[in-house]
Amino acid sequence: MIQQIFFYYLAVASIASAVLTVGLRNPVHCGLALLSLLFHIAGFFILLNAEFIAAVQIIVYAGAILVLYLFVLMLLNLKTEERFLHRRYAFLLFFSLLVAGQAFLLLLRSPFAGKPGDVTPEKVTAFGHSHTIGIVLFNEYFLPFEIIGVFLLGAIIGAIVLAKDRPPEAGKAGDEMKGPSR
């Protein structure tokens, strides 16, 4: 019973935080709403007895990604614009509710039957979440894990290239016409 109450709280708070993330005018307020959303999603992982994934959610997304997001916002120095409701927003709201309704109907009909994995709940409790995740990650998903590492390395190299100082311009167009000063 108490888990259902927490689930409903997390569901309502997550939806409200997601709507505020998209709907607020101030980018910093959007970032704070996103932080609230990420913490509530970590709460879902805790309800699923996946404490390791909840900790990774908070450390990686709420810690690193959100700080990067706010850093980019500060660098861009965005001005807030007045937003107002257009007909296209009403259409997008209707379309997204339609898609969400279809997904909900599919979830109701789905028996959630998937191929059972090799890791049983007994193995998880015997070894611990982190150990079991590491064994599965580096045995079954080693190649995708390494490919993600290569993508991240490419992103780091791209960020360094973009952040590298550009040489100053040789001169302005009008400077060549003036000649030497005396």
Side-chain angles (χ1 to χ4, degrees), residues 18-81:
V19 169
L20 287 175
T21 300
V22 178
L24 290 174
R25 294 180 184 172
N26 191 339
V28 176
H29 294 158
C30 290
L32 291 174
L34 181 62
L35 178 67
S36 171
L37 175 65
L38 294 173
F39 274 116
H40 286 97
I41 290 174
F44 281 119
F45 288 125
I46 290 173
L47 283 179
L48 292 171
N49 292 327
E51 293 86 9
F52 177 76
I53 298 176
V56 169
Q57 168 82 16
I58 291 172
I59 292 169
V60 172
Y61 288 108
I65 301 298
L66 195 62
V67 167
L68 178 67
Y69 172 75
L70 289 175
F71 182 67
V72 168
L73 283 177
M74 285 189 257
L75 282 177
L76 291 178
N77 195 14
L78 294 175
K79 304 289 183 201
T80 57
E81 298 176 358

Side-chain angles (χ1 to χ4, degrees), residues 68-137:
L68 178 67
Y69 172 75
L70 289 175
F71 182 67
V72 168
L73 283 177
M74 285 189 257
L75 282 177
L76 291 178
N77 195 14
L78 294 175
K79 304 289 183 201
T80 57
E81 298 176 358
E82 291 294 323
R83 296 182 191 172
F84 47 93
L85 186 64
H86 289 294
R87 279 185 245 155
R88 66 178 178 187
Y89 292 139
F91 173 74
L92 289 175
L93 178 66
F94 171 74
F95 185 72
S96 59
L97 287 175
L98 182 70
V99 170
Q102 288 178 347
F104 183 71
L105 287 175
L106 287 174
L107 287 175
L108 286 179
R109 294 182 182 179
S110 172
F112 293 107
K115 183 180 139 191
D118 296 336
V119 179
T120 62
E122 292 80 22
K123 282 185 181 179
V124 172
T125 56
F127 292 114
H129 288 63
S130 303
H131 183 267
T132 308
I133 289 172
I135 294 297
V136 172
L137 182 66

